[in-house]
Amino acid sequence: PPDGAPAARAATILVVEDERGVRRSLRLLLELDGHTVLEAGDGVEALEVAASHPGPIDLLVSDVAMPRMGAAELV
């Protein structure tokens, strides 16, 4: 970070995306930046992942249209 700028902290990010390749790419990029990534293939699975995760989830990154439950319903 530039001088005087606060250093970014690692976050726990839940990535919800029904396309496995897109989800995997997002995970790899975010992990390379030092974040912990949880992933799910749709909204229903995302709720299960969130419920079983012991700590806070700092950010949700989600596809809009997915099978079973889309982003609007998930949020």
Side-chain angles (χ1 to χ4, degrees):
D3 289 340
R9 70 174 184 90
T12 298
I13 302 171
L14 175 54
V15 174
V16 187
E17 167 60 58
D18 58 324
E19 292 188 40
R20 180 175 287 166
V22 173
R23 193 170 66 238
R24 176 175 282 160
S25 295
L26 283 170
R27 177 184 197 127
L28 291 173
L29 288 171
L30 292 167
E31 287 178 340
L32 283 173
D33 201 38
H35 302 289
T36 299
V37 180
L38 309 172
E39 59 180 275
D42 61 39
V44 173
E45 186 179 346
L47 291 175
E48 293 168 356
V49 168
S52 67
H53 182 69
I57 296 172
D58 302 302
L59 180 67
L60 169 66
V61 176
S62 180
D63 188 356
V64 174
M66 297 174 287
R68 298 198 304 167
M69 180 188 294
E73 202 175 352
L74 170 61
V75 171

